[in-house]
Amino acid sequence: MPLVVVGISVLVLLFLMTKLRLNGFASLLLVAVGVALVRGIPVADIPDTLSKGIGGQIGDTMLTIGLGAMVGRVMGDSGAAQRIAAKLLAAFGPRWVQVAMVLTAMLIGVTMFYEVAFVIIVPVAFTLVRVTRSNLLWVGLPMSIALSTMHSFLPPHPGPTAVAATFHASVGLTLFYGLFIAVPAGALIALVWPRLPFVRAMNPSVPTGLVSDRTFEEEEMPSTAWSLSVALLPVVLIAGAAVTDMVTSADTPVMHFINFVGSAPIALLLTLLVAVWAFGPRIGRSLEEIGASCRGAAQAMAMILLVIGAGGAFKQVLVDGGISDYIKQATSGWSISPIILAWLIAVILRVALGSATVAVVTASGVALPLVAGSGIHAEIMVLAVSCGSIAFSHVNDPGFWMFKEYFNLSVIDAIKVRTTYTTVLAILGLGGVLVMERVLDVLNL
């Protein structure tokens, strides 16, 4: 049975990494090859499958994560991240630092991909940890949870947007309804999870090489205006392009340019250039110092990118091995509420494949025939599928490895933290979707 293969592969991966202490990159590739053989992928095709998975995952994330890490390191080494952290502390106080991180993450995460927003905000979180001497998860986990919620629940992120197209749903209404679910659910879990005893027992250190260890004096740091301007520049560029796409369908040179500068890699590349100038020659720092910051970030990111790429290879083997087709056929005859069915299929696919995008696209295809004549709002079905796709993030999810590496956790601790919070978010999301559908029926909307 295909799902048994998935379960065994996860157990083998955990054994390799926890008992044999094999690094994540090698462990993921070994397990991926084993699953490919068991699922009948021809031996001659396995290298191409691995390359396809690694290439697709690295192609999607390398530029974003690499450039984002460089921007973060330049901001850290110049004192800009400390300046922003100091302003957040002054505005909210140490007691409310988690609220500050949640608000920041939700505002930025509405339109930005999880990975992009993560690498932009995480230097500030690392700096706050050092300045306040807090636990890394106490400060960083609320940020990650808030970003996960925004990315998984709401358009214009890729999964919900693709499902909206499948169901012919309004992207604007999906976003509007989804905010009433995502904001309270994300904020609740973001503030509760760091307080759970099993999370508080963990005390990981900030990964070396991703942030400066130096504490700057007041006069050494850039101004608040410049620090915030550089930090928010990619947000403005990416969000501006997303909003423009939502309100107009014009195919003009101006729109092409807006989409170009609003793509995540270009926005981050432009931000890096501005950061190099603003925190380098403009304030008397040499380009050699800035170059050293960028090299330090690149070296620190090397293993993180390798592990994320190997996670993509594992995911691709599961897809090419027919796991998604099996689940689609097995669930096609289930006779339950379309909302719950769409959510459940997305959950099963997410557990089996790891890819949220594959989960939502496949689940929407299965649930599409149920929408016609059901009387259920198409936007509600989009949210049901999207909420299901966040559940049970674990070792076959490349995002899991990014979370693990940045928060310097063991595999078991990362499962305890991330797998649990994503699952609870999915369940809360389903509850919110069911309530929202009832409210819309009562209001006759």
Side-chain angles (χ1 to χ4, degrees):
M1 184 176 178
L3 294 183
V4 173
V5 173
V6 175
I8 293 174
S9 68
V10 170
L11 292 176
V12 171
L13 182 60
L14 293 176
F15 175 78
L16 291 174
M17 295 189 65
T18 59
K19 297 298 183 183
L20 300 186
R21 303 292 181 184
L22 196 62
N23 73 62
F25 178 69
S27 298
L28 283 162
L29 289 182
L30 282 173
V31 172
V33 170
V35 172
L37 293 171
V38 171
R39 292 299 302 157
I41 296 177
V43 173
D45 293 343
I46 292 177
D48 288 339
T49 298
L50 298 179
S51 297
K52 180 181 176 182
I54 293 174
Q57 191 62 47
I58 292 295
D60 290 340
T61 60
M62 183 178 71
L63 292 176
T64 295
I65 295 177
L67 289 169
M70 290 182 186
V71 172
R73 183 62 189 263
V74 169
M75 291 185 64
D77 286 352
S78 66
Q82 184 178 325
R83 174 70 75 184
I84 296 173
K87 288 298 178 182
L88 286 175
L89 280 177
F92 290 89
R95 182 179 178 185
W96 300 101
V97 67
Q98 291 178 317
V99 175
M101 295 307 298
V102 170
L103 289 175
T104 302
M106 285 189 168
L107 288 172
I108 292 178
V110 167
T111 55
M112 296 186 72
F113 289 7
Y114 174 86
E115 294 87 354
V116 182
F118 190 101
V119 295
I120 289 172
I121 305 174
V122 79
V124 177
F126 287 163
T127 304
L128 282 169
V129 168
R130 191 183 71 243
V131 171
T132 62
R133 302 181 185 223
S134 301
N135 185 302
L136 175 56
L137 292 179
W138 183 259
V139 177
L141 186 55
M143 173 204 75
S144 180
I145 292 173
L147 291 178
S148 295
T149 309
M150 297 293 110
H151 180 88
S152 299
F153 284 25
L154 305 174
H157 297 101
T161 302
V163 179
T166 300
F167 290 149
H168 303 290
S170 165
V171 171
L173 279 178
T174 302
L175 175 60
F176 179 72
Y177 296 154
L179 285 171
F180 287 98
I181 301 170
V183 172
L188 175 65
I189 301 303
L191 296 176
V192 167
W193 234 243
R195 290 169 167 78
L196 297 178
F198 72 90
V199 177
R200 299 203 69 169
M202 304 174 193
N203 190 24
S205 59
V206 174
T208 57
L210 293 179
V211 69
S212 173
D213 296 327
R214 178 183 172 189
T215 300
F216 293 84
E217 300 296 331
E218 175 67 25
E219 64 276 6
E220 294 178 308
M221 294 184 288
S223 68
T224 301
W226 273 109
S227 300
L228 287 174
S229 295
V230 172
L232 294 177
L233 178 58
V235 180
V236 172
L237 294 176
I238 296 171
V243 172
T244 303
D245 274 342
M246 289 175 65
V247 300
T248 181
S249 58
D251 186 16
T252 65
V254 173
M255 281 301 303
H256 293 165
F257 177 76
I258 290 174
N259 288 329
F260 171 70
V261 299
S263 64
I266 299 301
L268 285 167
L269 179 59
L270 292 173
T271 301
L272 179 61
L273 294 176
V274 173
V276 167
W277 173 77
F279 304 140
R282 194 187 69 84
I283 58 174
R285 292 183 73 219
S286 69
L287 290 178
E288 185 177 350
E289 291 178 275
I290 298 292
S293 297
C294 292
R295 287 193 298 274
Q299 291 167 0
M301 289 304 303
M303 183 51 68
I304 294 176
L305 287 170
L306 283 175
V307 171
I308 291 173
F314 186 25
K315 175 206 72 177
Q316 193 64 45
V317 164
L318 294 173
V319 173
D320 289 359
I323 304 294
S324 60
D325 292 337
Y326 169 81
I327 294 171
K328 185 174 180 178
Q329 293 169 6
T331 57
S332 60
W334 291 2
S335 180
I336 57 178
S337 161
I339 292 176
I340 297 177
L341 176 61
W343 179 87
L344 193 56
I345 294 171
V347 169
I348 295 171
L349 286 162
R350 165 71 156 176
V351 174
L353 303 176
S355 170
T357 302
V358 174
V360 295
V361 171
T362 306
S364 62
V366 175
L368 180 59
L370 302 175
V371 177
S374 68
I376 298 173
H377 295 77
E379 293 77 17
I380 294 298
M381 289 296 291
V382 174
L383 292 172
V385 174
S386 300
C387 291
S389 73
I390 194 177
F392 291 100
S393 170
H394 65 100
V395 294
N396 61 358
D397 173 18
F400 170 90
W401 296 101
M402 180 177 177
F403 176 88
K404 173 197 173 299
E405 297 295 327
Y406 264 96
F407 288 123
N408 217 4
L409 296 168
S410 68
V411 176
I412 297 300
D413 283 347
I415 289 174
K416 289 179 181 178
V417 178
R418 182 170 168 89
T419 306
T420 54
Y421 91 64
T422 53
T423 302
V424 174
L425 275 175
I427 295 170
L428 288 179
L430 174 62
V433 168
L434 293 171
V435 171
M436 180 63 71
E437 174 65 11
R438 181 60 180 160
V439 169
L440 293 179
D441 286 342
V442 170
L443 297 177
N444 197 28
L445 294 176

Coordinates of all heavy atoms in Angstrom, one line a residue, residues 98-174:
Q98 N 6.5 39.2 21.6 CA 5.8 38.2 20.7 C 4.7 38.9 19.9 O 4.5 38.5 18.7 CB 5.3 37.1 21.6 CG 6.3 36.2 22.2 CD 5.7 35.1 23.1 OE1 4.8 35.4 23.8 NE2 6.2 33.9 23.0
V99 N 4.0 39.7 20.6 CA 2.9 40.5 19.8 C 3.5 41.3 18.7 O 3.0 41.3 17.6 CB 2.1 41.4 20.8 CG1 1.1 42.2 20.0 CG2 1.4 40.5 21.8
A100 N 4.6 41.9 19.0 CA 5.3 42.7 17.9 C 5.7 41.8 16.7 O 5.5 42.2 15.6 CB 6.6 43.4 18.5
M101 N 6.2 40.6 17.0 CA 6.6 39.7 16.0 C 5.4 39.2 15.2 O 5.5 39.1 13.9 CB 7.4 38.5 16.5 CG 8.7 38.9 17.2 SD 9.8 39.8 16.1 CE 10.1 38.7 14.7
V102 N 4.3 38.9 15.8 CA 3.1 38.4 15.2 C 2.5 39.5 14.2 O 2.2 39.2 13.1 CB 2.0 38.0 16.2 CG1 0.7 37.7 15.5 CG2 2.5 36.7 16.9
L103 N 2.4 40.7 14.8 CA 1.9 41.8 13.9 C 2.8 42.1 12.7 O 2.3 42.2 11.6 CB 1.8 43.1 14.8 CG 0.7 43.1 15.8 CD1 0.8 44.4 16.7 CD2 -0.7 43.0 15.2
T104 N 4.1 42.1 12.9 CA 5.0 42.3 11.8 C 4.9 41.2 10.8 O 4.8 41.5 9.6 CB 6.5 42.4 12.4 OG1 6.6 43.4 13.3 CG2 7.4 42.6 11.2
A105 N 4.9 39.9 11.3 CA 4.8 38.8 10.3 C 3.5 38.8 9.6 O 3.5 38.5 8.4 CB 5.0 37.5 11.1
M106 N 2.4 39.1 10.2 CA 1.1 39.1 9.5 C 1.0 40.2 8.5 O 0.5 40.0 7.4 CB -0.1 39.2 10.5 CG -0.3 37.9 11.3 SD -1.8 37.9 12.3 CE -1.9 36.2 12.7
L107 N 1.5 41.4 8.8 CA 1.4 42.5 7.9 C 2.3 42.2 6.6 O 1.9 42.5 5.5 CB 1.9 43.8 8.5 CG 0.9 44.4 9.6 CD1 1.6 45.6 10.3 CD2 -0.4 44.9 8.9
I108 N 3.5 41.7 6.9 CA 4.4 41.4 5.8 C 3.9 40.1 5.0 O 4.0 40.0 3.8 CB 5.8 41.2 6.3 CG1 6.3 42.6 6.8 CG2 6.7 40.7 5.2 CD1 7.7 42.6 7.3
G109 N 3.4 39.1 5.8 CA 3.1 37.8 5.2 C 1.8 37.8 4.4 O 1.5 36.8 3.8
V110 N 1.0 38.8 4.5 CA -0.3 38.8 3.7 C 0.0 38.6 2.2 O -0.7 37.8 1.5 CB -1.1 40.1 3.9 CG1 -2.2 40.2 2.9 CG2 -1.7 40.1 5.3
T111 N 1.0 39.2 1.7 CA 1.3 39.1 0.3 C 2.6 38.5 -0.1 O 2.9 38.2 -1.2 CB 1.4 40.5 -0.4 OG1 2.3 41.3 0.3 CG2 0.0 41.2 -0.3
M112 N 3.5 38.2 0.9 CA 4.8 37.6 0.7 C 4.9 36.1 1.0 O 4.3 35.7 2.0 CB 5.9 38.4 1.5 CG 6.0 39.8 1.1 SD 7.4 40.6 1.9 CE 8.8 39.9 1.1
F113 N 5.6 35.4 0.1 CA 5.8 34.0 0.4 C 6.4 33.8 1.7 O 7.2 34.6 2.2 CB 6.7 33.4 -0.7 CG 6.1 33.2 -2.0 CD1 4.8 33.8 -2.3 CD2 6.7 32.6 -3.1 CE1 4.3 33.7 -3.6 CE2 6.2 32.5 -4.3 CZ 4.9 33.0 -4.6
Y114 N 6.1 32.6 2.3 CA 6.7 32.3 3.6 C 8.2 32.4 3.6 O 8.8 33.1 4.5 CB 6.3 30.8 4.0 CG 7.0 30.3 5.3 CD1 6.4 30.5 6.5 CD2 8.2 29.6 5.2 CE1 7.0 30.1 7.7 CE2 8.7 29.1 6.4 CZ 8.1 29.3 7.6 OH 8.7 28.9 8.7
E115 N 8.9 31.8 2.6 CA 10.4 31.9 2.6 C 10.9 33.3 2.5 O 11.9 33.6 3.2 CB 10.9 31.0 1.4 CG 10.6 29.5 1.5 CD 9.2 29.2 1.0 OE1 8.5 30.1 0.6 OE2 8.9 28.0 0.9
V116 N 10.3 34.1 1.7 CA 10.7 35.5 1.5 C 10.6 36.3 2.8 O 11.5 36.9 3.2 CB 10.0 36.1 0.3 CG1 10.5 37.6 0.1 CG2 10.1 35.3 -0.9
A117 N 9.4 36.3 3.3 CA 9.1 37.0 4.5 C 10.0 36.5 5.7 O 10.5 37.3 6.5 CB 7.6 36.9 4.9
F118 N 10.2 35.2 5.7 CA 11.0 34.6 6.8 C 12.4 35.2 6.8 O 12.9 35.6 7.8 CB 11.0 33.1 6.6 CG 11.6 32.3 7.8 CD1 10.8 31.7 8.7 CD2 13.0 32.2 8.0 CE1 11.3 31.0 9.8 CE2 13.5 31.5 9.0 CZ 12.7 30.9 9.9
V119 N 13.1 35.1 5.6 CA 14.5 35.6 5.6 C 14.6 37.1 5.8 O 15.7 37.5 6.2 CB 15.1 35.1 4.3 CG1 15.2 33.6 4.2 CG2 14.5 35.7 3.1
I120 N 13.5 37.8 5.6 CA 13.6 39.3 5.8 C 13.4 39.6 7.3 O 14.1 40.4 7.8 CB 12.4 40.0 5.0 CG1 12.8 39.9 3.5 CG2 12.3 41.4 5.5 CD1 11.7 40.5 2.6
I121 N 12.5 38.9 8.0 CA 12.2 39.2 9.4 C 13.2 38.5 10.3 O 13.4 39.0 11.4 CB 10.8 38.8 9.7 CG1 9.8 39.5 8.8 CG2 10.4 39.2 11.1 CD1 8.4 39.0 9.0
V122 N 13.7 37.3 10.0 CA 14.4 36.5 10.9 C 15.7 37.2 11.5 O 16.0 37.0 12.7 CB 14.8 35.1 10.3 CG1 16.0 35.2 9.4 CG2 15.0 34.1 11.4
P123 N 16.4 38.1 10.7 CA 17.5 38.8 11.4 C 17.1 39.7 12.6 O 17.8 39.8 13.5 CB 18.1 39.6 10.2 CG 17.7 39.0 9.0 CD 16.3 38.4 9.3
V124 N 15.9 40.3 12.4 CA 15.3 41.1 13.5 C 15.0 40.2 14.7 O 15.3 40.5 15.9 CB 14.1 41.8 13.1 CG1 13.5 42.6 14.3 CG2 14.4 42.8 11.9
A125 N 14.5 39.0 14.5 CA 14.2 38.1 15.5 C 15.5 37.6 16.2 O 15.5 37.6 17.5 CB 13.4 36.8 15.0
F126 N 16.5 37.3 15.5 CA 17.8 36.9 16.0 C 18.3 38.0 16.9 O 18.9 37.8 18.0 CB 18.8 36.5 14.9 CG 18.5 35.2 14.2 CD1 19.1 35.0 13.0 CD2 17.6 34.3 14.8 CE1 18.8 33.8 12.4 CE2 17.4 33.1 14.1 CZ 18.0 32.8 12.9
T127 N 18.2 39.2 16.4 CA 18.8 40.4 17.2 C 18.0 40.6 18.5 O 18.6 40.9 19.5 CB 18.7 41.7 16.3 OG1 19.4 41.4 15.1 CG2 19.4 42.8 17.1
L128 N 16.7 40.4 18.4 CA 15.8 40.6 19.6 C 16.2 39.5 20.6 O 16.2 39.8 21.8 CB 14.4 40.5 19.2 CG 13.7 41.7 18.6 CD1 12.3 41.4 18.1 CD2 13.6 42.8 19.7
V129 N 16.5 38.3 20.1 CA 16.9 37.2 21.1 C 18.2 37.6 21.8 O 18.3 37.4 23.0 CB 17.1 35.9 20.3 CG1 17.8 34.8 21.1 CG2 15.8 35.4 19.8
R130 N 19.2 38.1 21.0 CA 20.4 38.5 21.7 C 20.3 39.7 22.6 O 20.8 39.7 23.7 CB 21.4 38.9 20.6 CG 22.9 39.0 21.1 CD 23.8 39.5 20.1 NE 23.6 40.8 19.7 CZ 23.3 41.2 18.5 NH1 23.1 40.4 17.5 NH2 23.2 42.5 18.2
V131 N 19.5 40.7 22.2 CA 19.3 41.9 23.0 C 18.5 41.6 24.3 O 18.9 42.1 25.4 CB 18.6 43.0 22.2 CG1 18.3 44.2 23.1 CG2 19.6 43.5 21.1
T132 N 17.5 40.8 24.2 CA 16.6 40.6 25.3 C 17.0 39.3 26.1 O 16.5 39.0 27.2 CB 15.1 40.3 24.9 OG1 15.1 39.2 24.0 CG2 14.6 41.6 24.2
R133 N 18.0 38.6 25.5 CA 18.5 37.3 26.2 C 17.3 36.3 26.3 O 17.2 35.6 27.3 CB 19.1 37.6 27.5 CG 20.3 38.5 27.3 CD 21.0 38.8 28.6 NE 22.1 39.8 28.3 CZ 23.3 39.7 28.8 NH1 23.7 38.7 29.5 NH2 24.2 40.7 28.5
S134 N 16.4 36.3 25.4 CA 15.3 35.4 25.4 C 15.6 34.1 24.7 O 16.6 34.0 24.0 CB 14.1 36.1 24.7 OG 13.7 37.3 25.3
N135 N 14.7 33.1 24.9 CA 14.8 31.9 24.2 C 14.5 32.1 22.7 O 13.6 32.9 22.4 CB 13.8 30.9 24.8 CG 13.8 29.5 24.1 OD1 13.7 29.4 22.9 ND2 14.0 28.5 25.0
L136 N 15.2 31.5 21.8 CA 15.1 31.7 20.4 C 13.6 31.4 19.9 O 13.0 32.1 19.1 CB 16.1 30.9 19.6 CG 16.0 30.9 18.0 CD1 16.0 32.3 17.5 CD2 17.0 30.0 17.4
L137 N 13.1 30.3 20.4 CA 11.7 29.9 20.0 C 10.7 30.9 20.6 O 9.6 31.1 20.0 CB 11.4 28.5 20.4 CG 12.2 27.4 19.7 CD1 11.8 26.0 20.3 CD2 12.0 27.5 18.2
W138 N 11.0 31.5 21.8 CA 10.0 32.4 22.4 C 9.8 33.6 21.5 O 8.7 34.1 21.3 CB 10.6 32.9 23.7 CG 9.7 33.8 24.5 CD1 9.8 35.1 24.6 CD2 8.6 33.4 25.3 NE1 8.8 35.6 25.4 CE2 8.0 34.6 25.9 CE3 8.0 32.2 25.6 CZ2 6.9 34.6 26.7 CZ3 6.9 32.2 26.4 CH2 6.3 33.3 27.0
V139 N 10.8 34.0 20.8 CA 10.7 35.2 19.9 C 10.5 34.8 18.4 O 9.6 35.4 17.7 CB 12.0 36.0 19.9 CG1 12.0 37.2 18.9 CG2 12.3 36.6 21.3
G140 N 11.1 33.8 17.9 CA 11.1 33.4 16.5 C 9.9 32.6 16.2 O 9.3 32.7 15.0
L141 N 9.4 31.7 17.1 CA 8.3 30.8 16.7 C 7.0 31.6 16.4 O 6.3 31.2 15.4 CB 8.0 29.8 17.9 CG 7.0 28.7 17.6 CD1 7.3 28.0 16.3 CD2 6.9 27.8 18.8
P142 N 6.6 32.6 17.2 CA 5.4 33.4 16.8 C 5.5 33.9 15.4 O 4.5 34.0 14.6 CB 5.3 34.5 17.8 CG 6.0 33.9 19.0 CD 7.1 33.1 18.5
M143 N 6.7 34.4 15.0 CA 6.9 34.9 13.6 C 6.6 33.8 12.6 O 5.9 34.0 11.6 CB 8.3 35.4 13.5 CG 8.7 35.8 12.1 SD 10.5 35.8 11.8 CE 10.8 34.0 11.7
S144 N 7.2 32.6 12.8 CA 7.1 31.5 11.8 C 5.6 31.1 11.7 O 5.1 30.8 10.6 CB 8.0 30.4 12.3 OG 7.8 29.3 11.3
I145 N 4.9 31.0 12.9 CA 3.5 30.5 12.9 C 2.6 31.5 12.1 O 1.8 31.1 11.3 CB 3.0 30.3 14.3 CG1 3.8 29.1 14.9 CG2 1.5 30.1 14.3 CD1 3.5 28.9 16.4
A146 N 2.8 32.8 12.4 CA 2.0 33.8 11.7 C 2.3 33.8 10.2 O 1.3 33.9 9.4 CB 2.4 35.2 12.3
L147 N 3.5 33.6 9.8 CA 3.8 33.6 8.4 C 3.3 32.3 7.7 O 2.8 32.4 6.6 CB 5.4 33.6 8.2 CG 6.1 34.9 8.5 CD1 7.6 34.8 8.3 CD2 5.5 36.1 7.6
S148 N 3.4 31.2 8.4 CA 2.8 29.9 7.9 C 1.3 30.1 7.6 O 0.8 29.6 6.6 CB 3.0 28.8 8.9 OG 4.4 28.5 9.0
T149 N 0.6 30.7 8.5 CA -0.8 30.9 8.4 C -1.2 31.8 7.2 O -2.0 31.4 6.4 CB -1.4 31.5 9.7 OG1 -1.0 30.8 10.8 CG2 -2.9 31.5 9.7
M150 N -0.5 32.9 7.1 CA -0.8 33.8 6.0 C -0.5 33.1 4.6 O -1.3 33.2 3.7 CB 0.1 35.0 6.1 CG -0.2 35.9 7.3 SD -1.8 36.7 7.3 CE -2.6 35.8 8.6
H151 N 0.6 32.4 4.6 CA 1.0 31.8 3.3 C 0.1 30.6 2.9 O -0.2 30.5 1.7 CB 2.5 31.2 3.5 CG 3.0 30.5 2.2 ND1 3.6 31.2 1.3 CD2 2.9 29.3 1.8 CE1 4.0 30.4 0.3 NE2 3.6 29.2 0.6
S152 N -0.4 29.9 3.9 CA -1.2 28.7 3.5 C -2.6 29.0 3.3 O -3.3 28.3 2.5 CB -1.0 27.6 4.6 OG 0.3 27.2 4.7
F153 N -3.2 30.0 4.1 CA -4.6 30.2 4.0 C -5.0 31.2 2.9 O -6.2 31.1 2.5 CB -5.1 30.8 5.4 CG -5.2 29.8 6.5 CD1 -4.4 28.6 6.5 CD2 -6.0 30.0 7.6 CE1 -4.5 27.7 7.6 CE2 -6.1 29.2 8.7 CZ -5.3 28.0 8.6
L154 N -4.2 32.1 2.6 CA -4.7 33.3 1.8 C -4.1 33.5 0.5 O -2.9 33.3 0.3 CB -4.5 34.5 2.6 CG -5.0 34.6 4.1 CD1 -4.5 35.9 4.8 CD2 -6.5 34.5 4.1
P155 N -4.9 33.9 -0.6 CA -4.3 34.4 -1.8 C -3.7 35.8 -1.4 O -4.2 36.4 -0.4 CB -5.5 34.5 -2.7 CG -6.7 34.6 -1.8 CD -6.3 33.8 -0.6
P156 N -2.8 36.3 -2.2 CA -2.3 35.8 -3.5 C -1.2 34.8 -3.4 O -0.4 34.7 -4.4 CB -1.8 37.1 -4.1 CG -1.3 37.9 -3.0 CD -2.2 37.6 -1.8
H157 N -1.0 34.1 -2.3 CA 0.0 33.0 -2.3 C -0.4 31.9 -3.3 O -1.6 31.7 -3.6 CB 0.1 32.5 -0.8 CG 0.5 33.5 0.1 ND1 -0.3 34.2 1.0 CD2 1.8 34.0 0.4 CE1 0.4 35.0 1.7 NE2 1.6 35.0 1.3
P158 N 0.6 31.2 -3.8 CA 0.4 30.3 -4.9 C -0.7 29.2 -4.7 O -1.5 29.0 -5.6 CB 1.8 29.7 -5.2 CG 2.5 29.9 -3.9 CD 2.0 31.1 -3.3
G159 N -0.7 28.5 -3.6 CA -1.7 27.4 -3.4 C -3.1 27.9 -3.4 O -3.9 27.5 -4.3
P160 N -3.5 28.8 -2.5 CA -4.9 29.4 -2.6 C -5.3 30.0 -3.9 O -6.4 29.9 -4.3 CB -4.9 30.4 -1.4 CG -3.8 30.0 -0.5 CD -2.7 29.4 -1.4
T161 N -4.3 30.7 -4.5 CA -4.6 31.3 -5.8 C -4.9 30.3 -6.9 O -5.9 30.4 -7.7 CB -3.5 32.2 -6.3 OG1 -3.2 33.2 -5.2 CG2 -3.8 32.9 -7.6
A162 N -4.1 29.2 -6.9 CA -4.4 28.1 -7.9 C -5.7 27.4 -7.7 O -6.4 27.1 -8.6 CB -3.2 27.1 -7.8
V163 N -6.1 27.2 -6.4 CA -7.4 26.6 -6.1 C -8.5 27.5 -6.4 O -9.6 27.1 -6.9 CB -7.4 26.2 -4.6 CG1 -8.8 25.6 -4.3 CG2 -6.3 25.3 -4.2
A164 N -8.3 28.8 -6.2 CA -9.4 29.8 -6.6 C -9.7 29.7 -8.1 O -10.8 29.8 -8.5 CB -9.0 31.2 -6.2
A165 N -8.6 29.6 -8.9 CA -8.8 29.5 -10.3 C -9.6 28.2 -10.7 O -10.4 28.2 -11.5 CB -7.5 29.5 -11.0
T166 N -9.2 27.1 -10.0 CA -9.9 25.8 -10.2 C -11.4 25.9 -9.9 O -12.2 25.4 -10.7 CB -9.3 24.7 -9.4 OG1 -7.9 24.6 -9.7 CG2 -10.0 23.3 -9.6
F167 N -11.8 26.5 -8.8 CA -13.1 26.6 -8.4 C -13.9 27.9 -9.0 O -15.0 28.1 -8.6 CB -13.2 26.7 -6.9 CG -12.9 25.4 -6.2 CD1 -12.3 25.4 -4.9 CD2 -13.1 24.2 -6.8 CE1 -12.0 24.2 -4.3 CE2 -12.8 23.0 -6.2 CZ -12.2 23.0 -4.9
H168 N -13.2 28.6 -9.8 CA -13.7 29.9 -10.3 C -14.2 30.8 -9.2 O -15.3 31.4 -9.3 CB -14.8 29.6 -11.3 CG -14.4 28.7 -12.5 ND1 -13.6 29.1 -13.5 CD2 -14.7 27.4 -12.7 CE1 -13.4 28.1 -14.3 NE2 -14.0 27.1 -13.9
A169 N -13.4 30.9 -8.2 CA -13.8 31.7 -7.0 C -13.2 33.1 -7.1 O -12.1 33.3 -7.8 CB -13.3 31.0 -5.7
S170 N -13.7 34.1 -6.5 CA -13.2 35.4 -6.4 C -12.0 35.4 -5.5 O -12.1 35.1 -4.3 CB -14.2 36.4 -5.9 OG -13.6 37.6 -5.5
V171 N -10.8 35.9 -6.0 CA -9.6 35.9 -5.2 C -9.8 37.0 -4.1 O -9.4 36.8 -3.0 CB -8.4 36.3 -6.1 CG1 -7.2 36.6 -5.2 CG2 -8.1 35.2 -7.0
G172 N -10.5 38.1 -4.5 CA -10.7 39.2 -3.5 C -11.6 38.7 -2.3 O -11.3 39.0 -1.2
L173 N -12.7 38.0 -2.6 CA -13.6 37.5 -1.6 C -12.9 36.4 -0.8 O -13.1 36.3 0.5 CB -14.9 37.0 -2.2 CG -15.9 38.0 -2.6 CD1 -17.1 37.3 -3.2 CD2 -16.4 38.8 -1.3
T174 N -12.1 35.6 -1.4 CA -11.4 34.5 -0.7 C -10.4 35.2 0.3 O -10.4 34.7 1.5 CB -10.6 33.6 -1.7 OG1 -11.5 33.1 -2.6 CG2 -9.9 32.5 -0.9

